[in-house]
PDB file of all heavy atoms in Angstrom:
ATOM      1  N   GLN A 849       0.847  -1.192   0.000  1.00  0.00           N
ATOM      2  CA  GLN A 849       0.000   0.000   0.000  1.00  0.00           C
ATOM      3  C   GLN A 849       0.878   1.236   0.000  1.00  0.00           C
ATOM      4  O   GLN A 849       1.984   1.218   0.545  1.00  0.00           O
ATOM      5  CB  GLN A 849      -0.898   0.049   1.236  1.00  0.00           C
ATOM      6  CG  GLN A 849      -1.949  -1.021   1.304  1.00  0.00           C
ATOM      7  CD  GLN A 849      -2.708  -0.910   2.617  1.00  0.00           C
ATOM      8  OE1 GLN A 849      -2.126  -1.015   3.688  1.00  0.00           O
ATOM      9  NE2 GLN A 849      -4.014  -0.691   2.527  1.00  0.00           N
ATOM     10  N   ALA A 850       0.357   2.329  -0.568  1.00  0.00           N
ATOM     11  CA  ALA A 850       1.112   3.579  -0.588  1.00  0.00           C
ATOM     12  C   ALA A 850       0.164   4.764  -0.490  1.00  0.00           C
ATOM     13  O   ALA A 850      -0.985   4.698  -0.929  1.00  0.00           O
ATOM     14  CB  ALA A 850       1.936   3.682  -1.863  1.00  0.00           C
ATOM     15  N   CYS A 851       0.657   5.825   0.099  1.00  0.00           N
ATOM     16  CA  CYS A 851      -0.078   7.082   0.213  1.00  0.00           C
ATOM     17  C   CYS A 851       0.958   8.203   0.117  1.00  0.00           C
ATOM     18  O   CYS A 851       2.038   8.101   0.693  1.00  0.00           O
ATOM     19  CB  CYS A 851      -0.814   7.146   1.546  1.00  0.00           C
ATOM     20  SG  CYS A 851      -1.627   8.720   1.840  1.00  0.00           S
ATOM     21  N   VAL A 852       0.627   9.249  -0.615  1.00  0.00           N
ATOM     22  CA  VAL A 852       1.542  10.383  -0.760  1.00  0.00           C
ATOM     23  C   VAL A 852       0.810  11.644  -0.328  1.00  0.00           C
ATOM     24  O   VAL A 852      -0.344  11.864  -0.706  1.00  0.00           O
ATOM     25  CB  VAL A 852       2.049  10.524  -2.214  1.00  0.00           C
ATOM     26  CG1 VAL A 852       2.949  11.745  -2.353  1.00  0.00           C
ATOM     27  CG2 VAL A 852       2.782   9.273  -2.649  1.00  0.00           C
ATOM     28  N   LEU A 853       1.463  12.447   0.485  1.00  0.00           N
ATOM     29  CA  LEU A 853       0.903  13.710   0.957  1.00  0.00           C
ATOM     30  C   LEU A 853       1.876  14.845   0.670  1.00  0.00           C
ATOM     31  O   LEU A 853       3.092  14.641   0.649  1.00  0.00           O
ATOM     32  CB  LEU A 853       0.647  13.677   2.462  1.00  0.00           C
ATOM     33  CG  LEU A 853      -0.390  12.704   2.988  1.00  0.00           C
ATOM     34  CD1 LEU A 853      -0.472  12.814   4.503  1.00  0.00           C
ATOM     35  CD2 LEU A 853      -1.747  12.961   2.376  1.00  0.00           C
ATOM     36  N   ALA A 854       1.327  16.029   0.492  1.00  0.00           N
ATOM     37  CA  ALA A 854       2.139  17.243   0.404  1.00  0.00           C
ATOM     38  C   ALA A 854       2.172  17.835   1.805  1.00  0.00           C
ATOM     39  O   ALA A 854       1.129  18.076   2.406  1.00  0.00           O
ATOM     40  CB  ALA A 854       1.543  18.219  -0.584  1.00  0.00           C
ATOM     41  N   ARG A 855       3.349  18.017   2.335  1.00  0.00           N
ATOM     42  CA  ARG A 855       3.523  18.596   3.673  1.00  0.00           C
ATOM     43  C   ARG A 855       4.232  19.937   3.526  1.00  0.00           C
ATOM     44  O   ARG A 855       4.838  20.239   2.503  1.00  0.00           O
ATOM     45  CB  ARG A 855       4.368  17.677   4.559  1.00  0.00           C
ATOM     46  CG  ARG A 855       3.758  16.334   4.834  1.00  0.00           C
ATOM     47  CD  ARG A 855       2.786  16.424   5.942  1.00  0.00           C
ATOM     48  NE  ARG A 855       2.413  15.069   6.373  1.00  0.00           N
ATOM     49  CZ  ARG A 855       1.626  14.831   7.368  1.00  0.00           C
ATOM     50  NH1 ARG A 855       1.117  15.822   8.061  1.00  0.00           N
ATOM     51  NH2 ARG A 855       1.312  13.604   7.693  1.00  0.00           N
ATOM     52  N   GLU A 856       4.184  20.707   4.605  1.00  0.00           N
ATOM     53  CA  GLU A 856       4.834  22.012   4.616  1.00  0.00           C
ATOM     54  C   GLU A 856       5.781  22.076   5.797  1.00  0.00           C
ATOM     55  O   GLU A 856       5.434  21.689   6.912  1.00  0.00           O
ATOM     56  CB  GLU A 856       3.777  23.112   4.709  1.00  0.00           C
ATOM     57  CG  GLU A 856       4.279  24.457   4.293  1.00  0.00           C
ATOM     58  CD  GLU A 856       3.144  25.438   4.056  1.00  0.00           C
ATOM     59  OE1 GLU A 856       2.038  25.018   3.712  1.00  0.00           O
ATOM     60  OE2 GLU A 856       3.394  26.637   4.235  1.00  0.00           O
ATOM     61  N   ARG A 857       6.994  22.554   5.535  1.00  0.00           N
ATOM     62  CA  ARG A 857       8.004  22.672   6.587  1.00  0.00           C
ATOM     63  C   ARG A 857       8.405  24.126   6.717  1.00  0.00           C
ATOM     64  O   ARG A 857       8.690  24.795   5.721  1.00  0.00           O
ATOM     65  CB  ARG A 857       9.212  21.799   6.233  1.00  0.00           C
ATOM     66  CG  ARG A 857      10.289  21.838   7.268  1.00  0.00           C
ATOM     67  CD  ARG A 857      11.406  20.881   7.024  1.00  0.00           C
ATOM     68  NE  ARG A 857      11.673  20.652   5.617  1.00  0.00           N
ATOM     69  CZ  ARG A 857      12.474  19.703   5.186  1.00  0.00           C
ATOM     70  NH1 ARG A 857      13.050  18.894   6.013  1.00  0.00           N
ATOM     71  NH2 ARG A 857      12.698  19.555   3.891  1.00  0.00           N
ATOM     72  N   LYS A 858       8.440  24.632   7.933  1.00  0.00           N
ATOM     73  CA  LYS A 858       8.863  26.008   8.188  1.00  0.00           C
ATOM     74  C   LYS A 858      10.379  26.086   8.128  1.00  0.00           C
ATOM     75  O   LYS A 858      11.075  25.254   8.684  1.00  0.00           O
ATOM     76  CB  LYS A 858       8.385  26.472   9.567  1.00  0.00           C
ATOM     77  CG  LYS A 858       6.889  26.365   9.778  1.00  0.00           C
ATOM     78  CD  LYS A 858       6.159  27.391   8.967  1.00  0.00           C
ATOM     79  CE  LYS A 858       4.665  27.292   9.278  1.00  0.00           C
ATOM     80  NZ  LYS A 858       3.822  27.745   8.249  1.00  0.00           N
ATOM     81  N   THR A 859      10.862  27.107   7.431  1.00  0.00           N
ATOM     82  CA  THR A 859      12.301  27.351   7.339  1.00  0.00           C
ATOM     83  C   THR A 859      12.572  28.788   7.767  1.00  0.00           C
ATOM     84  O   THR A 859      11.639  29.554   8.032  1.00  0.00           O
ATOM     85  CB  THR A 859      12.814  27.128   5.904  1.00  0.00           C
ATOM     86  OG1 THR A 859      12.148  28.052   5.037  1.00  0.00           O
ATOM     87  CG2 THR A 859      12.558  25.704   5.435  1.00  0.00           C
ATOM     88  N   ASP A 860      13.842  29.150   7.814  1.00  0.00           N
ATOM     89  CA  ASP A 860      14.202  30.513   8.191  1.00  0.00           C
ATOM     90  C   ASP A 860      13.663  31.536   7.191  1.00  0.00           C
ATOM     91  O   ASP A 860      13.317  32.648   7.561  1.00  0.00           O
ATOM     92  CB  ASP A 860      15.725  30.655   8.281  1.00  0.00           C
ATOM     93  CG  ASP A 860      16.295  29.837   9.423  1.00  0.00           C
ATOM     94  OD1 ASP A 860      15.539  29.521  10.366  1.00  0.00           O
ATOM     95  OD2 ASP A 860      17.491  29.508   9.369  1.00  0.00           O
ATOM     96  N   SER A 861      13.588  31.140   5.924  1.00  0.00           N
ATOM     97  CA  SER A 861      13.143  32.075   4.882  1.00  0.00           C
ATOM     98  C   SER A 861      11.656  31.954   4.557  1.00  0.00           C
ATOM     99  O   SER A 861      11.196  32.520   3.586  1.00  0.00           O
ATOM    100  CB  SER A 861      13.973  31.850   3.613  1.00  0.00           C
ATOM    101  OG  SER A 861      13.777  30.536   3.149  1.00  0.00           O
ATOM    102  N   GLY A 862      10.921  31.200   5.333  1.00  0.00           N
ATOM    103  CA  GLY A 862       9.479  31.047   5.091  1.00  0.00           C
ATOM    104  C   GLY A 862       9.052  29.604   5.286  1.00  0.00           C
ATOM    105  O   GLY A 862       9.354  28.999   6.299  1.00  0.00           O
ATOM    106  N   SER A 863       8.371  29.061   4.286  1.00  0.00           N
ATOM    107  CA  SER A 863       7.964  27.667   4.371  1.00  0.00           C
ATOM    108  C   SER A 863       8.175  27.001   3.013  1.00  0.00           C
ATOM    109  O   SER A 863       8.175  27.646   1.974  1.00  0.00           O
ATOM    110  CB  SER A 863       6.504  27.553   4.803  1.00  0.00           C
ATOM    111  OG  SER A 863       5.664  28.137   3.836  1.00  0.00           O
ATOM    112  N   THR A 864       8.365  25.696   3.059  1.00  0.00           N
ATOM    113  CA  THR A 864       8.632  24.915   1.865  1.00  0.00           C
ATOM    114  C   THR A 864       7.676  23.732   1.815  1.00  0.00           C
ATOM    115  O   THR A 864       7.500  23.050   2.820  1.00  0.00           O
ATOM    116  CB  THR A 864      10.079  24.383   1.884  1.00  0.00           C
ATOM    117  OG1 THR A 864      10.972  25.464   2.056  1.00  0.00           O
ATOM    118  CG2 THR A 864      10.413  23.644   0.616  1.00  0.00           C
ATOM    119  N   LYS A 865       7.078  23.493   0.652  1.00  0.00           N
ATOM    120  CA  LYS A 865       6.248  22.305   0.472  1.00  0.00           C
ATOM    121  C   LYS A 865       7.113  21.182  -0.065  1.00  0.00           C
ATOM    122  O   LYS A 865       8.016  21.404  -0.856  1.00  0.00           O
ATOM    123  CB  LYS A 865       5.109  22.582  -0.514  1.00  0.00           C
ATOM    124  CG  LYS A 865       3.953  23.320   0.070  1.00  0.00           C
ATOM    125  CD  LYS A 865       2.810  23.350  -0.933  1.00  0.00           C
ATOM    126  CE  LYS A 865       1.613  24.039  -0.328  1.00  0.00           C
ATOM    127  NZ  LYS A 865       0.494  24.063  -1.275  1.00  0.00           N
ATOM    128  N   TYR A 866       6.812  19.961   0.377  1.00  0.00           N
ATOM    129  CA  TYR A 866       7.530  18.787  -0.094  1.00  0.00           C
ATOM    130  C   TYR A 866       6.592  17.592  -0.066  1.00  0.00           C
ATOM    131  O   TYR A 866       5.533  17.625   0.573  1.00  0.00           O
ATOM    132  CB  TYR A 866       8.785  18.531   0.751  1.00  0.00           C
ATOM    133  CG  TYR A 866       8.480  18.206   2.200  1.00  0.00           C
ATOM    134  CD1 TYR A 866       8.466  16.885   2.641  1.00  0.00           C
ATOM    135  CD2 TYR A 866       8.201  19.199   3.122  1.00  0.00           C
ATOM    136  CE1 TYR A 866       8.188  16.584   3.960  1.00  0.00           C
ATOM    137  CE2 TYR A 866       7.922  18.911   4.437  1.00  0.00           C
ATOM    138  CZ  TYR A 866       7.909  17.598   4.854  1.00  0.00           C
ATOM    139  OH  TYR A 866       7.624  17.290   6.156  1.00  0.00           O
ATOM    140  N   LEU A 867       6.965  16.529  -0.763  1.00  0.00           N
ATOM    141  CA  LEU A 867       6.154  15.326  -0.835  1.00  0.00           C
ATOM    142  C   LEU A 867       6.672  14.274   0.131  1.00  0.00           C
ATOM    143  O   LEU A 867       7.887  14.086   0.271  1.00  0.00           O
ATOM    144  CB  LEU A 867       6.182  14.754  -2.257  1.00  0.00           C
ATOM    145  CG  LEU A 867       5.582  15.629  -3.341  1.00  0.00           C
ATOM    146  CD1 LEU A 867       5.852  15.033  -4.717  1.00  0.00           C
ATOM    147  CD2 LEU A 867       4.091  15.804  -3.122  1.00  0.00           C
ATOM    148  N   VAL A 868       5.735  13.583   0.790  1.00  0.00           N
ATOM    149  CA  VAL A 868       6.079  12.481   1.681  1.00  0.00           C
ATOM    150  C   VAL A 868       5.362  11.236   1.168  1.00  0.00           C
ATOM    151  O   VAL A 868       4.154  11.264   0.950  1.00  0.00           O
ATOM    152  CB  VAL A 868       5.640  12.749   3.133  1.00  0.00           C
ATOM    153  CG1 VAL A 868       6.033  11.586   4.030  1.00  0.00           C
ATOM    154  CG2 VAL A 868       6.207  14.040   3.655  1.00  0.00           C
ATOM    155  N   GLY A 869       6.112  10.169   0.970  1.00  0.00           N
ATOM    156  CA  GLY A 869       5.537   8.896   0.548  1.00  0.00           C
ATOM    157  C   GLY A 869       5.473   7.940   1.725  1.00  0.00           C
ATOM    158  O   GLY A 869       6.486   7.646   2.356  1.00  0.00           O
ATOM    159  N   TYR A 870       4.275   7.500   2.058  1.00  0.00           N
ATOM    160  CA  TYR A 870       4.070   6.514   3.120  1.00  0.00           C
ATOM    161  C   TYR A 870       3.814   5.174   2.445  1.00  0.00           C
ATOM    162  O   TYR A 870       3.098   5.113   1.446  1.00  0.00           O
ATOM    163  CB  TYR A 870       2.861   6.881   3.974  1.00  0.00           C
ATOM    164  CG  TYR A 870       3.000   8.211   4.681  1.00  0.00           C
ATOM    165  CD1 TYR A 870       2.572   9.389   4.073  1.00  0.00           C
ATOM    166  CD2 TYR A 870       3.562   8.280   5.950  1.00  0.00           C
ATOM    167  CE1 TYR A 870       2.700  10.604   4.719  1.00  0.00           C
ATOM    168  CE2 TYR A 870       3.698   9.500   6.596  1.00  0.00           C
ATOM    169  CZ  TYR A 870       3.261  10.656   5.979  1.00  0.00           C
ATOM    170  OH  TYR A 870       3.396  11.867   6.608  1.00  0.00           O
ATOM    171  N   TYR A 871       4.374   4.109   2.988  1.00  0.00           N
ATOM    172  CA  TYR A 871       4.158   2.805   2.379  1.00  0.00           C
ATOM    173  C   TYR A 871       4.100   1.701   3.421  1.00  0.00           C
ATOM    174  O   TYR A 871       4.670   1.810   4.501  1.00  0.00           O
ATOM    175  CB  TYR A 871       5.234   2.498   1.328  1.00  0.00           C
ATOM    176  CG  TYR A 871       6.631   2.327   1.886  1.00  0.00           C
ATOM    177  CD1 TYR A 871       7.126   1.064   2.193  1.00  0.00           C
ATOM    178  CD2 TYR A 871       7.451   3.423   2.112  1.00  0.00           C
ATOM    179  CE1 TYR A 871       8.400   0.907   2.708  1.00  0.00           C
ATOM    180  CE2 TYR A 871       8.721   3.277   2.609  1.00  0.00           C
ATOM    181  CZ  TYR A 871       9.191   2.011   2.907  1.00  0.00           C
ATOM    182  OH  TYR A 871      10.451   1.854   3.418  1.00  0.00           O
ATOM    183  N   VAL A 872       3.358   0.652   3.056  1.00  0.00           N
ATOM    184  CA  VAL A 872       3.259  -0.557   3.872  1.00  0.00           C
ATOM    185  C   VAL A 872       3.871  -1.669   3.037  1.00  0.00           C
ATOM    186  O   VAL A 872       3.443  -1.901   1.901  1.00  0.00           O
ATOM    187  CB  VAL A 872       1.796  -0.883   4.234  1.00  0.00           C
ATOM    188  CG1 VAL A 872       1.709  -2.203   4.985  1.00  0.00           C
ATOM    189  CG2 VAL A 872       1.173   0.244   5.045  1.00  0.00           C
ATOM    190  N   ALA A 873       4.881  -2.339   3.607  1.00  0.00           N
ATOM    191  CA  ALA A 873       5.537  -3.428   2.888  1.00  0.00           C
ATOM    192  C   ALA A 873       4.657  -4.669   2.934  1.00  0.00           C
ATOM    193  O   ALA A 873       3.831  -4.839   3.838  1.00  0.00           O
ATOM    194  CB  ALA A 873       6.901  -3.721   3.513  1.00  0.00           C
ATOM    195  N   GLY A 874       4.837  -5.538   1.947  1.00  0.00           N
ATOM    196  CA  GLY A 874       4.078  -6.780   1.882  1.00  0.00           C
ATOM    197  C   GLY A 874       4.372  -7.672   3.070  1.00  0.00           C
ATOM    198  O   GLY A 874       5.439  -7.609   3.673  1.00  0.00           O
ATOM    199  N   ALA A 875       3.436  -8.534   3.403  1.00  0.00           N
ATOM    200  CA  ALA A 875       3.581  -9.419   4.551  1.00  0.00           C
ATOM    201  C   ALA A 875       4.551 -10.562   4.277  1.00  0.00           C
ATOM    202  O   ALA A 875       5.161 -11.095   5.179  1.00  0.00           O
ATOM    203  CB  ALA A 875       2.219  -9.977   4.952  1.00  0.00           C
ATOM    204  N   ASP A 876       4.693 -10.938   3.018  1.00  0.00           N
ATOM    205  CA  ASP A 876       5.585 -12.036   2.664  1.00  0.00           C
ATOM    206  C   ASP A 876       7.037 -11.573   2.732  1.00  0.00           C
ATOM    207  O   ASP A 876       7.331 -10.452   3.099  1.00  0.00           O
ATOM    208  CB  ASP A 876       5.281 -12.529   1.242  1.00  0.00           C
ATOM    209  CG  ASP A 876       3.817 -12.930   1.094  1.00  0.00           C
ATOM    210  OD1 ASP A 876       3.221 -13.300   2.113  1.00  0.00           O
ATOM    211  OD2 ASP A 876       3.301 -12.859  -0.033  1.00  0.00           O
ATOM    212  N   GLY A 877       7.932 -12.425   2.333  1.00  0.00           N
ATOM    213  CA  GLY A 877       9.346 -12.076   2.296  1.00  0.00           C
ATOM    214  C   GLY A 877       9.724 -11.290   1.064  1.00  0.00           C
ATOM    215  O   GLY A 877      10.897 -11.084   0.798  1.00  0.00           O
ATOM    216  N   ASP A 878       8.723 -10.835   0.276  1.00  0.00           N
ATOM    217  CA  ASP A 878       9.026 -10.130  -0.972  1.00  0.00           C
ATOM    218  C   ASP A 878       9.537  -8.717  -0.753  1.00  0.00           C
ATOM    219  O   ASP A 878       9.934  -8.068  -1.696  1.00  0.00           O
ATOM    220  CB  ASP A 878       7.807 -10.111  -1.896  1.00  0.00           C
ATOM    221  CG  ASP A 878       6.614  -9.398  -1.290  1.00  0.00           C
ATOM    222  OD1 ASP A 878       6.652  -9.076  -0.094  1.00  0.00           O
ATOM    223  OD2 ASP A 878       5.638  -9.166  -2.031  1.00  0.00           O
ATOM    224  N   HIS A 879       9.558  -8.240   0.479  1.00  0.00           N
ATOM    225  CA  HIS A 879      10.048  -6.888   0.738  1.00  0.00           C
ATOM    226  C   HIS A 879      11.459  -6.893   1.326  1.00  0.00           C
ATOM    227  O   HIS A 879      11.961  -5.854   1.736  1.00  0.00           O
ATOM    228  CB  HIS A 879       9.081  -6.133   1.654  1.00  0.00           C
ATOM    229  CG  HIS A 879       8.995  -6.689   3.044  1.00  0.00           C
ATOM    230  ND1 HIS A 879       8.254  -7.792   3.336  1.00  0.00           N
ATOM    231  CD2 HIS A 879       9.569  -6.288   4.202  1.00  0.00           C
ATOM    232  CE1 HIS A 879       8.359  -8.059   4.633  1.00  0.00           C
ATOM    233  NE2 HIS A 879       9.155  -7.154   5.177  1.00  0.00           N
ATOM    234  N   GLU A 880      12.094  -8.063   1.352  1.00  0.00           N
ATOM    235  CA  GLU A 880      13.463  -8.136   1.842  1.00  0.00           C
ATOM    236  C   GLU A 880      14.358  -7.282   0.953  1.00  0.00           C
ATOM    237  O   GLU A 880      14.277  -7.341  -0.263  1.00  0.00           O
ATOM    238  CB  GLU A 880      13.954  -9.586   1.845  1.00  0.00           C
ATOM    239  CG  GLU A 880      13.231 -10.475   2.831  1.00  0.00           C
ATOM    240  CD  GLU A 880      13.421 -10.064   4.269  1.00  0.00           C
ATOM    241  OE1 GLU A 880      14.532  -9.650   4.634  1.00  0.00           O
ATOM    242  OE2 GLU A 880      12.440 -10.131   5.031  1.00  0.00           O
ATOM    243  N   GLY A 881      15.192  -6.492   1.552  1.00  0.00           N
ATOM    244  CA  GLY A 881      16.105  -5.647   0.787  1.00  0.00           C
ATOM    245  C   GLY A 881      15.462  -4.380   0.255  1.00  0.00           C
ATOM    246  O   GLY A 881      16.080  -3.661  -0.513  1.00  0.00           O
ATOM    247  N   LEU A 882      14.230  -4.109   0.641  1.00  0.00           N
ATOM    248  CA  LEU A 882      13.528  -2.901   0.189  1.00  0.00           C
ATOM    249  C   LEU A 882      13.967  -1.739   1.086  1.00  0.00           C
ATOM    250  O   LEU A 882      13.594  -1.663   2.250  1.00  0.00           O
ATOM    251  CB  LEU A 882      12.015  -3.106   0.268  1.00  0.00           C
ATOM    252  CG  LEU A 882      11.141  -2.008  -0.304  1.00  0.00           C
ATOM    253  CD1 LEU A 882      11.337  -1.905  -1.809  1.00  0.00           C
ATOM    254  CD2 LEU A 882       9.681  -2.287  -0.004  1.00  0.00           C
ATOM    255  N   THR A 883      14.789  -0.845   0.539  1.00  0.00           N
ATOM    256  CA  THR A 883      15.284   0.297   1.301  1.00  0.00           C
ATOM    257  C   THR A 883      14.759   1.580   0.674  1.00  0.00           C
ATOM    258  O   THR A 883      14.256   1.567  -0.453  1.00  0.00           O
ATOM    259  CB  THR A 883      16.823   0.339   1.300  1.00  0.00           C
ATOM    260  OG1 THR A 883      17.274   0.533  -0.042  1.00  0.00           O
ATOM    261  CG2 THR A 883      17.422  -0.933   1.881  1.00  0.00           C
ATOM    262  N   GLU A 884      14.901   2.671   1.392  1.00  0.00           N
ATOM    263  CA  GLU A 884      14.471   3.968   0.863  1.00  0.00           C
ATOM    264  C   GLU A 884      15.243   4.306  -0.406  1.00  0.00           C
ATOM    265  O   GLU A 884      14.670   4.832  -1.364  1.00  0.00           O
ATOM    266  CB  GLU A 884      14.664   5.061   1.921  1.00  0.00           C
ATOM    267  CG  GLU A 884      13.683   4.962   3.056  1.00  0.00           C
ATOM    268  CD  GLU A 884      13.788   6.119   4.033  1.00  0.00           C
ATOM    269  OE1 GLU A 884      14.360   7.170   3.669  1.00  0.00           O
ATOM    270  OE2 GLU A 884      13.284   5.970   5.148  1.00  0.00           O
ATOM    271  N   ALA A 885      16.518   3.991  -0.435  1.00  0.00           N
ATOM    272  CA  ALA A 885      17.336   4.286  -1.616  1.00  0.00           C
ATOM    273  C   ALA A 885      16.831   3.522  -2.836  1.00  0.00           C
ATOM    274  O   ALA A 885      16.767   4.067  -3.939  1.00  0.00           O
ATOM    275  CB  ALA A 885      18.793   3.946  -1.337  1.00  0.00           C
ATOM    276  N   ILE A 886      16.442   2.272  -2.651  1.00  0.00           N
ATOM    277  CA  ILE A 886      15.931   1.470  -3.762  1.00  0.00           C
ATOM    278  C   ILE A 886      14.592   2.015  -4.238  1.00  0.00           C
ATOM    279  O   ILE A 886      14.340   2.111  -5.445  1.00  0.00           O
ATOM    280  CB  ILE A 886      15.819  -0.018  -3.353  1.00  0.00           C
ATOM    281  CG1 ILE A 886      17.217  -0.612  -3.206  1.00  0.00           C
ATOM    282  CG2 ILE A 886      14.985  -0.803  -4.358  1.00  0.00           C
ATOM    283  CD1 ILE A 886      17.248  -2.005  -2.631  1.00  0.00           C
ATOM    284  N   ILE A 887      13.724   2.404  -3.306  1.00  0.00           N
ATOM    285  CA  ILE A 887      12.418   2.961  -3.677  1.00  0.00           C
ATOM    286  C   ILE A 887      12.611   4.249  -4.470  1.00  0.00           C
ATOM    287  O   ILE A 887      11.997   4.444  -5.521  1.00  0.00           O
ATOM    288  CB  ILE A 887      11.547   3.195  -2.428  1.00  0.00           C
ATOM    289  CG1 ILE A 887      11.202   1.861  -1.765  1.00  0.00           C
ATOM    290  CG2 ILE A 887      10.273   3.957  -2.797  1.00  0.00           C
ATOM    291  CD1 ILE A 887      10.540   1.991  -0.405  1.00  0.00           C
ATOM    292  N   ILE A 888      13.483   5.132  -3.990  1.00  0.00           N
ATOM    293  CA  ILE A 888      13.748   6.397  -4.689  1.00  0.00           C
ATOM    294  C   ILE A 888      14.314   6.123  -6.080  1.00  0.00           C
ATOM    295  O   ILE A 888      13.911   6.749  -7.060  1.00  0.00           O
ATOM    296  CB  ILE A 888      14.719   7.286  -3.870  1.00  0.00           C
ATOM    297  CG1 ILE A 888      14.077   7.709  -2.547  1.00  0.00           C
ATOM    298  CG2 ILE A 888      15.171   8.497  -4.679  1.00  0.00           C
ATOM    299  CD1 ILE A 888      12.888   8.610  -2.660  1.00  0.00           C
ATOM    300  N   GLU A 889      15.222   5.178  -6.171  1.00  0.00           N
ATOM    301  CA  GLU A 889      15.824   4.835  -7.465  1.00  0.00           C
ATOM    302  C   GLU A 889      14.758   4.341  -8.445  1.00  0.00           C
ATOM    303  O   GLU A 889      14.724   4.767  -9.602  1.00  0.00           O
ATOM    304  CB  GLU A 889      16.890   3.765  -7.267  1.00  0.00           C
ATOM    305  CG  GLU A 889      17.517   3.287  -8.556  1.00  0.00           C
ATOM    306  CD  GLU A 889      18.441   2.087  -8.332  1.00  0.00           C
ATOM    307  OE1 GLU A 889      18.980   1.934  -7.224  1.00  0.00           O
ATOM    308  OE2 GLU A 889      18.595   1.313  -9.293  1.00  0.00           O
ATOM    309  N   LYS A 890      13.878   3.463  -7.991  1.00  0.00           N
ATOM    310  CA  LYS A 890      12.841   2.921  -8.872  1.00  0.00           C
ATOM    311  C   LYS A 890      11.825   3.982  -9.261  1.00  0.00           C
ATOM    312  O   LYS A 890      11.362   4.014 -10.400  1.00  0.00           O
ATOM    313  CB  LYS A 890      12.160   1.725  -8.209  1.00  0.00           C
ATOM    314  CG  LYS A 890      13.083   0.530  -8.120  1.00  0.00           C
ATOM    315  CD  LYS A 890      12.404  -0.673  -7.565  1.00  0.00           C
ATOM    316  CE  LYS A 890      13.416  -1.795  -7.470  1.00  0.00           C
ATOM    317  NZ  LYS A 890      12.880  -3.081  -7.788  1.00  0.00           N
ATOM    318  N   LEU A 891      11.478   4.870  -8.336  1.00  0.00           N
ATOM    319  CA  LEU A 891      10.541   5.944  -8.658  1.00  0.00           C
ATOM    320  C   LEU A 891      11.173   6.924  -9.645  1.00  0.00           C
ATOM    321  O   LEU A 891      10.489   7.450 -10.528  1.00  0.00           O
ATOM    322  CB  LEU A 891      10.101   6.676  -7.389  1.00  0.00           C
ATOM    323  CG  LEU A 891       9.162   5.913  -6.464  1.00  0.00           C
ATOM    324  CD1 LEU A 891       8.888   6.722  -5.201  1.00  0.00           C
ATOM    325  CD2 LEU A 891       7.866   5.557  -7.162  1.00  0.00           C
ATOM    326  N   SER A 892      12.472   7.171  -9.514  1.00  0.00           N
ATOM    327  CA  SER A 892      13.169   8.103 -10.406  1.00  0.00           C
ATOM    328  C   SER A 892      13.180   7.617 -11.851  1.00  0.00           C
ATOM    329  O   SER A 892      13.304   8.420 -12.770  1.00  0.00           O
ATOM    330  CB  SER A 892      14.607   8.312  -9.932  1.00  0.00           C
ATOM    331  OG  SER A 892      14.611   8.924  -8.667  1.00  0.00           O
ATOM    332  N   LYS A 893      13.033   6.314 -12.049  1.00  0.00           N
ATOM    333  CA  LYS A 893      13.015   5.758 -13.402  1.00  0.00           C
ATOM    334  C   LYS A 893      11.680   5.980 -14.108  1.00  0.00           C
ATOM    335  O   LYS A 893      11.632   5.979 -15.328  1.00  0.00           O
ATOM    336  CB  LYS A 893      13.330   4.265 -13.366  1.00  0.00           C
ATOM    337  CG  LYS A 893      14.757   3.969 -12.995  1.00  0.00           C
ATOM    338  CD  LYS A 893      15.020   2.486 -12.961  1.00  0.00           C
ATOM    339  CE  LYS A 893      16.466   2.218 -12.563  1.00  0.00           C
ATOM    340  NZ  LYS A 893      16.738   0.786 -12.470  1.00  0.00           N
TER     341      LYS A 893
END
């Protein structure tokens, strides 16, 4: 499962919007080795 939200973070110069991806890994062993770097790499493609 996945859900993406736009969040806002306060900074010294104001505020910045950014995207947050929430995910639930599968119950089986199919999520072994699933890291944030791998998810970002696959999404970037």
Side-chain angles (χ1 to χ4, degrees):
Q849 293 176 300
C851 175
V852 177
L853 295 179
R855 297 278 192 177
E856 199 165 333
R857 181 173 32 190
K858 304 289 183 206
T859 61
D860 293 338
S861 61
S863 63
T864 305
K865 281 188 177 181
Y866 64 99
L867 296 172
V868 181
Y870 298 90
Y871 66 95
V872 175
D876 304 333
D878 61 350
H879 67 281
E880 294 297 321
L882 186 66
T883 64
E884 289 185 19
I886 290 172
I887 294 171
I888 295 294
E889 177 188 334
K890 290 184 182 218
L891 288 176
S892 296
K893 291 180 181 178

